[in-house]
Amino acid sequence: MIEKGKSVLLFLLVVISLVQSYFLAYSMPYMEAKVKTELDYVKTEPLGTEENVENLIFPEQLVLHLGDDKHTVFYPSTLPYYDLILTKLQGREFKGMKRDLVNTVDWDQIRRENKGVELRFGRDIPFELLQRVFKIDDDFLFWRDSIDRIWIYSSKSSDEVRTFFFSADGSNVYESERADITIGDVEGYVGFGQYWDPYSSEDGNVYIPDKPISRLLRMEVPFSRYTTEQMQDNLFFDPTTTRTIQDRQDGPQFYTDGKRGLKVEQDGIWMTYTDPVAPTNGENDIIDNVMAATSFVNQHGGWNEKYQLVKEIESESESIIRFQQYYREVPIVSGSSMNFGYMQLTLQQGFVSSYNRSLLVLSNEMKNKSTRQLPGGDQLRDVIGNLDLGGRNIEALFPAYRPSLGKETVVMSPVWAARLLTGEVIIVADSIPASTK
């Protein structure tokens, strides 16, 4: 009887111990809620939308080779054909990569004689990032390389489809020997361009329309803007500690929390945010920094239009990442008159040390639209030939919008823009009112 009583008592002690352990374990959050860290001050207000990095990587041009030295060019604004081709290629698989030297093939002969499509990104895209956009074989030994073109063509001589990825430094080319693309696929891509504007190129790099083109509108676009208070709430850990260094209506405005700084200028439409980062000795990885830059924008202002990854400058100490803004699928190029049409971030090992962006939010509404004509043919060649580029060569030509800021609207005017080998983008030629004939 005594032994039975001991057993019951022991059982009760065990139960009481378990109950006490339960309350101790699950009462901890009440204690933790009293502890406040610096990050708890961040109460960011959602402004723009969030974006995935794969949606920021896309070709600036699709060059279609129609055979017999006939060509045309699709831009992101060439809807729906640009999207149809790109979507189809994103669903294909590229396997069995083989590396070779780029000069082992006469590419000028191939572009003149064979039907195919070139995807031109216009900047270095690391293979590891490109894999987020296309289904590229994982078993690939050259991931640290970057590419700037993909060229797919059907060979007249061998009746087969060949697919090549061009390294951005111009030295190597990678062939996907097991890409699931058929001759019928290539014929379909090329078929979209049969009745499009004809383009010509003397060197296979810069393509110029044979005739003027009238596909873009001049328009006035209403806008709203992010306020300085909204950006302070998004960028400073505790906005209540932020103080004004200089606040004048006729000049830049400066704000700081003692460590980070915010400069708002151009009558409140452009901001520069700085956050000093201590130098480190670790590796500065460009891919990690691109991912970190995308995440930072998602959390601090968001994306209020379509953007494209256009610049990745990497050094031992930092990376500079730039995203080009598009409006209605056309890039915005402001020239030197105003800062507008891009975001740029400087990062060190994933930490953002500077952040530049416009505070304007363009409306989808358009006012006072009019059709404009961009020059082509010999007229455009003469304009380009008369440019004083100081020895800098043009590597790409594309239509763009040049913005002009009014009181309530931004005027978007179609222009020809060019990217130089240095990476600089300039405005080459203006548009004129389209003929009514």
Side-chain angles (χ1 to χ4, degrees):
M1 187 70 179
I2 296 175
E3 293 298 325
K4 185 176 181 180
K6 289 181 178 179
S7 298
V8 172
L9 181 60
L10 180 61
F11 173 78
L12 291 174
L13 289 172
V14 170
V15 170
I16 291 171
S17 177
L18 291 173
V19 171
Q20 288 177 329
S21 298
Y22 174 86
F23 282 111
L24 285 171
Y26 289 90
S27 65
M28 288 301 289
Y30 296 99
M31 297 173 62
E32 291 177 349
K34 298 177 183 178
V35 180
K36 212 167 181 58
T37 66
E38 188 180 31
L39 291 177
D40 291 324
Y41 286 112
V42 181
K43 302 295 181 184
T44 58
E45 174 188 353
L47 297 175
T49 59
E50 294 189 2
E51 194 58 274
N52 296 319
V53 69
E54 51 265 33
N55 295 328
L56 305 171
I57 300 173
F58 52 89
E60 69 176 12
Q61 296 178 349
L62 301 182
V63 180
L64 300 184
H65 305 296
L66 313 180
D68 299 322
D69 200 18
K70 296 180 180 179
H71 317 269
T72 192
V73 179
F74 288 168
Y75 306 99
S77 58
T78 310
L79 299 175
Y81 306 119
Y82 174 97
D83 282 349
L84 285 172
I85 295 175
L86 186 58
T87 301
K88 287 178 180 292
L89 289 174
Q90 288 172 336
R92 300 303 186 185
E93 294 185 348
F94 301 93
K95 298 181 178 180
M97 291 290 190
K98 175 186 175 183
R99 183 171 66 180
D100 205 344
L101 295 176
V102 71
N103 57 11
T104 58
V105 175
D106 186 346
W107 296 105
D108 189 59
Q109 180 181 0
I110 287 174
R111 79 175 183 92
R112 293 175 182 274
E113 296 181 357
N114 299 278
K115 295 181 180 180
V117 56
E118 278 187 74
L119 287 71
R120 297 188 168 195
F121 295 92
R123 66 270 313 154
D124 305 0
I125 306 294
F127 264 114
E128 191 172 335
L129 287 179
L130 196 66
Q131 191 188 25
R132 292 175 171 269
V133 183
F134 298 96
K135 298 178 180 179
I136 303 174
D137 197 345
D138 281 328
D139 185 19
F140 184 41
L141 300 178
F142 313 109
W143 283 117
R144 302 308 297 178
D145 205 348
S146 297
I147 71 102
D148 60 7
R149 273 192 302 164
I150 303 174
W151 193 338
I152 302 165
Y153 71 91
S154 56
S155 173
K156 291 176 62 176
S157 59
S158 59
D159 220 19
E160 63 177 346
V161 175
R162 304 190 70 177
T163 301
F164 293 90
F165 295 73
F166 290 76
S167 66
D169 63 7
S171 59
N172 297 314
V173 64
Y174 303 90
E175 181 174 9
S176 173
E177 296 184 309
R178 300 196 308 277
D180 63 339
I181 300 175
T182 66
I183 293 178
D185 293 329
V186 175
E187 292 286 347
Y189 307 149
V190 171
F192 290 133
Q194 291 289 343
Y195 303 102
W196 204 250
D197 304 315
Y199 280 67
S200 301
S201 175
E202 297 178 359
D203 58 3
N205 292 318
V206 179
Y207 282 83
I208 292 176
D210 292 347
K211 300 178 180 179
I213 59 174
S214 304
R215 299 190 182 278
L216 294 182
L217 299 174
R218 180 189 183 275
M219 66 191 80
E220 296 178 16
V221 182
F223 63 84
S224 59
R225 70 179 74 194
Y226 294 157
T227 66
T228 301
E229 290 75 17
Q230 285 176 313
M231 296 315 300
Q232 288 184 66
D233 289 343
N234 269 265
L235 292 167
F236 294 111
F237 284 129
D238 184 2
T240 63
T241 66
T242 305
R243 66 182 187 275
T244 303
I245 300 177
Q246 179 180 344
D247 187 1
R248 301 186 327 190
Q249 293 184 350
D250 59 346
Q253 300 171 318
F254 296 89
Y255 308 90
T256 184
D257 65 354
K259 177 188 176 186
R260 304 161 192 85
L262 176 64
K263 177 183 178 183
V264 179
E265 56 187 325
Q266 292 183 198
D267 196 25
I269 70 169
W270 186 259
M271 57 149 272
T272 300
Y273 168 77
T274 55
D275 184 2
V277 177
T280 58
N281 296 322
E283 181 181 357
N284 199 51
D285 186 81
I286 186 66
I287 296 172
D288 290 344
N289 283 334
V290 169
M291 301 299 294
T294 305
S295 178
F296 188 90
V297 175
N298 284 341
Q299 299 172 26
H300 301 286
W303 312 81
N304 47 31
E305 275 294 335
K306 181 174 184 174
Y307 282 82
Q308 180 186 36
L309 175 64
V310 297
K311 180 186 289 187
E312 310 148 43
I313 299 177
E314 182 181 9
S315 68
E316 293 182 1
S317 60
E318 63 183 20
S319 296
I320 298 175
I321 311 296
R322 177 177 285 204
F323 301 100
Q324 171 70 56
Q325 184 178 358
Y326 278 62
Y327 184 75
R328 302 186 70 84
E329 309 299 329
V330 178
I332 299 173
V333 178
S334 58
S336 58
S337 59
M338 61 184 291
N339 288 323
F340 186 63
Y342 67 91
M343 298 185 200
Q344 183 164 300
L345 300 92
T346 302
L347 300 95
Q348 297 179 27
Q349 294 189 355
F351 294 96
V352 174
S353 59
S354 72
Y355 175 35
N356 301 269
R357 68 172 294 160
S358 171
L359 299 179
L360 292 189
V361 181
L362 298 175
S363 169
N364 291 324
E365 178 187 356
M366 299 177 293
K367 297 181 178 180
N368 300 326
K369 298 179 290 184
S370 61
T371 304
R372 304 287 288 187
Q373 184 180 88
L374 289 168
D378 290 338
Q379 180 186 2
L380 181 55
R381 290 187 181 89
D382 290 342
V383 170
I384 293 175
N386 291 328
L387 291 174
D388 182 11
L389 299 178
R392 300 168 297 172
N393 293 327
I394 293 176
E395 67 173 358
L397 184 73
F398 53 90
Y401 282 134
R402 174 164 56 189
S404 176
L405 182 65
K407 289 185 177 180
E408 298 180 349
T409 62
V410 175
V411 178
M412 294 290 190
S413 301
V415 296
W416 279 117
R419 190 182 63 259
L420 308 181
L421 287 174
T422 59
E424 180 185 357
V425 176
I426 62 171
I427 293 174
V428 170
D430 291 309
S431 58
I432 60 174
S435 173
T436 58
K437 294 181 180 180

